[in-house]
Amino acid sequence: MAKELPFFRFNVSEWLTGNIAYESYEIQGLFIKVCCEYWNRKNCLTIQEIKKRTKEDKNIDYLIENNFLIKKRNKIKIKFLDEEKKQIDDKSLKLSIAGRKGGLSKAKARLKHKEIEREIEIDNIKKEKKIKHWNENLPTGV
């Protein structure tokens, strides 16, 4: 996510009133560090990777035990970041579909414009032929 969206929403009131606010600054800092790593890795991070990156085995286990991090098999999940990623993916898909529809309508409009130009060109050719035919068939003594 880091390249597509280098930041995630951070709700200050949830941070200040949520369970994390009652933890030590050390735990709070570790949690936000894990959130950053998780977001940077597109919400795909194993427990071993995060322990290796933070060197905080005991505190990572504490975050898991207290449901700040959710353990799914060997990976961690962070609910609010997964929800945000889903919202971004859904919006991206909607925009992609809308873009395709817009592209198709523009292509149809270009085709319609070309058809109209061809019809005008054909009409002009017919008019020129009629004028030429009319000029060729004018009585000469008039």
Side-chain angles (χ1 to χ4, degrees), residues 51-113:
K51 284 182 176 182
K52 183 178 178 183
R53 289 172 183 267
T54 61
K55 310 236 185 315
E56 292 281 345
D57 291 7
K58 186 176 81 174
N59 288 335
I60 293 295
D61 292 337
Y62 179 85
L63 288 171
I64 292 169
E65 290 165 11
N66 288 279
N67 297 317
F68 293 109
L69 305 176
I70 299 165
K71 181 180 176 182
K72 290 261 179 155
R73 296 187 188 120
N74 189 33
K75 295 186 177 187
I76 63 165
K77 294 287 179 190
I78 303 172
K79 187 178 176 182
F80 83 96
L81 291 177
D82 290 341
E83 289 170 359
E84 183 161 352
K85 183 178 184 301
K86 184 180 179 335
Q87 288 175 352
I88 291 167
D89 291 346
D90 290 349
K91 185 176 181 179
S92 176
L93 180 61
K94 286 178 186 176
L95 290 173
S96 176
I97 291 169
R100 285 186 191 133
K101 286 180 182 177
L104 288 175
S105 63
K106 286 179 184 177
K108 287 179 184 178
R110 281 193 296 270
L111 285 173
K112 186 70 173 169
H113 183 72

Side-chain angles (χ1 to χ4, degrees), residues 1-7 39-40 42 85 88-89 92:
M1 294 302 272
K3 290 183 182 176
E4 300 88 23
L5 190 62
F7 56 87
W39 188 255
N40 194 49
K42 299 182 180 183
K85 183 178 184 301
I88 291 167
D89 291 346
S92 176

